[in-house]
């Protein structure tokens, strides 16, 4: 990851969550995010504890280069079962590509930087 960020690529993640945090999520945020930040990854938190989720129903996904969505699929128990790749060349401006870019824009606009959120809620 650090090679990618050193070459000018940005890796930005928005995590939608609500409190209280599970022990695993506390570990993921407190160790994983803080560690990955040293390699240049940027994290934001969209905390839905005290407000409706503006992305209700949006899938967990990655968006590569702002135009290639990859949906992360989970089973009914929350175990990861694999990705669904949506090729950018087959996604129309009104289709899945645009939909995921909109999700990203909403997530970033309504989130706060991880360090700000962690300082306020990390120990709670």
């Amino acid at each position: 990851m650090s090679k990618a960020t050193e070459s000018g690529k940005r890796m930005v993640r928005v995590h939608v969550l609500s409190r209280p945090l599970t022990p695993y999520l506390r570990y993921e945020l407190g160790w994983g995010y803080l560690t990955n930040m040293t390699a240049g990854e940027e994290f934001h938190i969209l905390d839905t504890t005290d407000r409706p989720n503006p992305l209700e129903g949006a899938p967990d996904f990655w968006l590569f280069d702002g135009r290639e969505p990859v949906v992360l699929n989970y089973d009914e128990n929350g175990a990861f079962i694999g990705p669904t790749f949506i090729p950018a060349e087959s996604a129309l401006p009104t289709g899945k590509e645009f939909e995921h870019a909109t999700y990203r824009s909403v997530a970033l606009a309504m989130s706060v930087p991880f360090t700000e959120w962690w300082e306020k809620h990390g120990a709670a």
Side-chain angles (χ1 to χ4, degrees):
M1 177 180 346
S2 60
K3 285 185 180 187
T5 57
E6 288 170 3
S7 73
K9 293 191 182 288
R10 286 183 69 201
M11 295 185 166
V12 181
R13 185 183 317 205
V14 177
H15 197 136
V16 180
L17 56 75
S18 63
R19 292 173 273 115
L21 301 177
T22 64
Y24 179 79
L25 191 51
R26 184 172 300 287
Y27 167 77
E28 178 184 359
L29 300 173
W31 183 84
Y33 282 23
L34 292 172
T35 300
N36 284 4
M37 286 173 59
T38 64
E41 190 168 358
E42 301 171 44
F43 296 93
H44 299 263
I45 301 293
L46 198 167
D47 190 335
T48 61
T49 301
D50 299 320
R51 64 177 170 175
N53 182 350
L55 296 170
E56 190 69 43
D60 191 5
F61 69 96
W62 296 328
L63 189 61
F64 292 98
D65 296 329
R67 60 184 186 85
E68 295 188 41
V70 177
V71 175
L72 307 176
N73 301 295
Y74 302 88
D75 69 15
E76 62 278 351
N77 297 316
F80 180 66
I81 56 174
T84 300
F85 294 86
I86 303 171
E89 60 272 5
S90 68
L92 301 174
T94 57
K96 294 292 183 187
E97 176 185 348
F98 180 76
E99 178 181 42
H100 291 87
T102 299
Y103 291 152
R104 178 198 55 204
S105 295
V106 169
L108 284 169
M110 300 192 78
S111 64
V112 297
F114 170 72
T115 52
E116 178 183 321
W117 182 89
W118 188 249
E119 188 174 296
K120 185 174 182 180
H121 300 289

